[in-house]
Amino acid sequence: MVNNNNNDSHFEEVIGPLRRGSRRSNIYALDTSEEWWVGHFEYLRERGYMMRPRYRPGWKPSYDQDLRGIYKGMFAEDSQIMVHSAIMDARRISDSLVVAMKRVKISTSEDQIATLFSDDAHNSDPHNHCVRIIEVLPVSEGNEKILVMAWMREVMDPRFRTVGEAVQFLKEMVEGLQYMHQNNVAHRDCSMNNMAMEANAMYTRQYHPVRPKKRYDWSGRALHHSRTRCPPRYYLIDFGQSRMYDPSQPRGTEYALRSGGYTPPEGLADTPCDPFATDVFLLGNLMRTTFLDGDTWMEEPGISGFEFLRPLVKDMVVDDPSKRPTMDEVVPRFSDIIDKVPWWKLRARATKKDEFLLVKPFRAVYHVFWTASMMLLLKPAIPSPKPLH
């Protein structure tokens, strides 16, 4: 729900100082974290990456500095500020691929685990759904490096069109978490916030990294195909809280973290436990809050059509960590459940539970014709992306 009062206060915060004659001439000026990236522009260009005009030395705003100009600046491409201070977008000069460049401290879990799952052996495994690191760039500061990876979107943007599209996402996430556990790594923060979608195949033209509903060149709306027609890939990201364990030693216990707005029962009890069991809870809770019961923290109502997952989810989120299934048990159970779901159920609309009743019949009729077109194109009910080379 949008709070109009908050929007008004934000507008006043932006425009008010100019209206009152403040000396601050550019509310979209570069901040300290942005200036760090500008300072590394030449180095990154030499390594084959070009940042947007805003982050090039000598940048001057495309809009005037008076009140009217600043208002126009709210909608200008070069006023689009990076969302996270440690993450910058750029285009790879060789092929125009949009990448994310992330500053990390050397020898941290983020550095070690992300690069571990990106080596040749892990990259060739189809069950590995950890984000791929394209390149690691050293920086002059010495205690930092830059991890380069493909730019990705939020999993729920755009929303799932069919039950089968959501099943593809869940399948890749249960496989990915199982793969991490089989390699003695606990994610410890595997909520929807730390999952992402590589959706370049869906988009007819590159979308903008900060305003993903617009094209990269700011020339219009970024149009896309459905996931059924052009399947994306899903990845586990952000290993800042992850832990790697020695397989020759008993796995240690960890205090559970609050993740995605929820604290596992063992976290509420402030009792350390097996981090793999906590991962199982977090993934089960994601299924419960996103697809079954809704997310009270995010005020999301849930999505219809996923009751077939409830028995598995119920076991994954039991309060006693020792009674939860392992990921080696979750994956075959998930596969068995999906194998029994009829094709028409997988092709059904993934509708929000609070969808406006008057629009349902119109959307249902359109969906019938759209589904027929996908079947004529021989698109499977559960999308299957092309193998990585």
Side-chain angles (χ1 to χ4, degrees):
M1 182 180 295
V2 177
N3 187 320
N4 290 328
N5 291 332
N6 287 343
N7 288 344
D8 291 343
S9 63
H10 174 70
F11 181 83
E12 179 61 27
E13 180 182 350
V14 172
I15 300 299
L18 291 166
R19 186 185 291 129
R20 294 188 293 271
S22 168
R23 293 183 179 181
R24 186 181 180 189
S25 61
N26 186 2
I27 59 174
Y28 301 112
L30 299 170
D31 63 23
T32 303
S33 60
E34 292 179 299
E35 288 173 350
W36 186 93
W37 290 101
V38 174
H40 291 77
F41 172 83
E42 293 297 339
Y43 168 67
L44 293 171
R45 184 171 66 172
E46 290 172 2
R47 296 304 296 260
Y49 301 100
M50 178 66 70
M51 292 186 289
R52 289 183 283 123
R54 176 180 178 84
Y55 300 110
R56 301 173 190 174
W59 166 73
K60 295 185 183 302
S62 62
Y63 43 87
D64 295 330
Q65 303 304 299
D66 58 12
L67 180 61
R68 180 178 298 178
I70 294 299
Y71 176 78
K72 290 182 178 179
M74 296 173 66
F75 308 100
E77 192 285 327
D78 62 343
S79 71
Q80 306 308 308
I81 300 170
M82 51 195 283
V83 178
H84 302 287
S85 61
I87 301 176
M88 174 58 66
D89 61 90
R91 296 198 89 153
R92 190 164 61 184
I93 296 172
S94 62
D95 59 3
S96 296
L97 175 71
V98 177
V99 300
M101 301 183 294
K102 185 173 185 179
R103 294 172 60 185
V104 299
K105 298 291 185 183
I106 293 176
S107 299
T108 59
S109 61
E110 177 84 359
D111 168 25
Q112 296 172 339
I113 294 172
T115 52
L116 165 70
F117 287 114
S118 297
D119 67 18
D120 291 339
H122 289 293
N123 259 340
S124 61
D125 196 309
H127 298 100
N128 176 17
H129 297 286
C130 296
V131 62
R132 269 50 166 186
I133 304 302
I134 297 172
E135 187 176 4
V136 179
L137 303 176
V139 292
S140 57
E141 284 76 357
N143 66 333
E144 285 188 322
K145 60 176 64 172
I146 298 173
L147 304 181
V148 182
M149 62 206 86
W151 189 271
M152 300 189 190
R153 295 177 70 94
E154 294 181 2
V155 170
M156 301 292 284
D157 179 22
R159 300 189 70 87
F160 296 109
R161 192 167 195 164
T162 69
V163 171
E165 290 182 350
V167 166
Q168 181 213 348
F169 160 65
L170 293 174
K171 176 179 179 292
E172 293 186 16
M173 291 301 95
V174 297
E175 286 181 351
L177 193 57
Q178 179 195 35
Y179 190 83
M180 291 187 70
H181 288 188
Q182 289 175 339
N183 285 274
N184 306 296
V185 178
H187 192 289
R188 302 184 66 233
D189 194 14
C190 49
S191 65
M192 188 70 82
N193 296 336
N194 292 322
M195 299 171 181
M197 174 174 63
E198 195 281 285
N200 288 340
M202 292 172 58
Y203 281 79
T204 56
R205 295 178 64 177
Q206 178 62 50
Y207 59 86
H208 195 278
V210 180
R211 293 288 180 266
K213 294 189 184 303
K214 294 183 71 69
R215 294 175 184 169
Y216 189 91
D217 62 7
W218 218 247
S219 63
R221 188 174 179 82
L223 304 178
H224 62 86
H225 297 293
S226 67
R227 303 170 201 241
T228 299
R229 181 165 185 167
C230 299
R233 295 180 184 278
Y234 302 97
Y235 291 97
L236 291 158
I237 63 172
D238 196 349
F239 305 109
Q241 301 296 339
S242 301
R243 294 288 184 272
M244 187 184 306
Y245 302 96
D246 185 345
S248 66
Q249 301 293 327
R251 189 166 55 248
T253 58
E254 305 277 1
Y255 285 96
L257 305 172
R258 183 177 175 84
S259 179
Y262 292 88
T263 303
E266 55 268 31
L268 294 172
D270 200 26
T271 303
C273 80
D274 180 1
F276 285 13
T278 301
D279 276 354
V280 171
F281 173 89
L282 293 174
L283 186 56
N285 190 59
L286 178 150
M287 296 180 189
R288 178 174 62 179
T289 57
T290 303
F291 299 100
L292 292 173
D293 300 336
D295 190 334
T296 56
W297 186 67
M298 294 294 293
E299 297 185 355
E300 288 288 342
I303 304 175
S304 298
F306 292 90
E307 283 300 316
F308 56 84
L309 290 174
R310 192 171 291 280
L312 174 60
V313 170
K314 183 178 178 181
D315 290 345
M316 294 174 70
V317 299
V318 296
D319 287 350
D320 185 347
S322 65
K323 294 182 179 179
R324 296 170 194 157
T326 66
M327 287 309 301
D328 283 339
E329 295 168 332
V330 168
V331 170
R333 282 186 62 183
F334 180 86
S335 296
D336 289 343
I337 290 170
I338 300 307
D339 287 344
K340 295 174 183 176
V341 180
W343 68 267
W344 55 266
K345 182 68 172 177
L346 293 171
R347 291 192 182 274
R349 290 180 61 225
T351 58
K352 294 176 68 174
K353 290 184 176 180
D354 65 349
E355 184 178 61
F356 190 44
L357 288 175
L358 291 179
V359 304
K360 278 190 175 185
F362 300 99
R363 290 177 177 174
V365 170
Y366 177 81
H367 186 75
V368 169
F369 288 98
W370 175 83
T371 300
S373 70
M374 292 299 103
M375 295 177 71
L376 287 172
L377 291 171
L378 303 181
K379 299 298 181 180
I382 301 175
S384 179
K386 295 179 180 179
L388 288 171
H389 297 295

